[in-house]
Amino acid sequence: NATKIKLLKDVNESIRISNKDVTIDLNGNAITANDADAIYVAKGASLTINGDGEVIAGKAECASVFNNGTTVL
């Protein structure tokens, strides 16, 4: 059973997904990291991103989604 998250507004922080399945519905919003990867998916975790919106890394050398697990966009 995946954890389901529907954004109701923009999020300004990094998200780490570990040891679980997560589905994020951007719902027209953005996830923006300040100084890191916006979303980090750890080994053994799974992420699905649905809906319109943006995922923005905090710096040029960071990733919007850093994937060590499974990611579906």
Side-chain angles (χ1 to χ4, degrees):
N1 245 356
T3 299
K4 295 182 180 183
I5 300 166
K6 183 174 184 176
L7 297 184
L8 301 177
K9 62 179 183 175
D10 292 343
V11 175
N12 293 308
E13 62 182 79
S14 297
I15 297 171
R16 181 179 176 93
I17 299 171
S18 302
N19 299 322
K20 61 175 78 173
D21 297 331
V22 175
T23 298
I24 298 174
D25 179 351
L26 294 173
N27 192 35
N29 296 290
I31 298 171
T32 305
N34 293 325
D35 295 323
D37 303 321
I39 302 174
Y40 178 86
V41 182
K43 186 175 180 181
S46 174
L47 169 66
T48 300
I49 298 176
N50 295 321
D52 293 330
E54 296 181 292
V55 179
I56 304 165
K59 294 181 180 180
E61 63 270 14
C62 297
S64 295
V65 178
F66 189 94
N67 182 40
N68 277 331
T70 302
T71 299
V72 177
L73 304 174

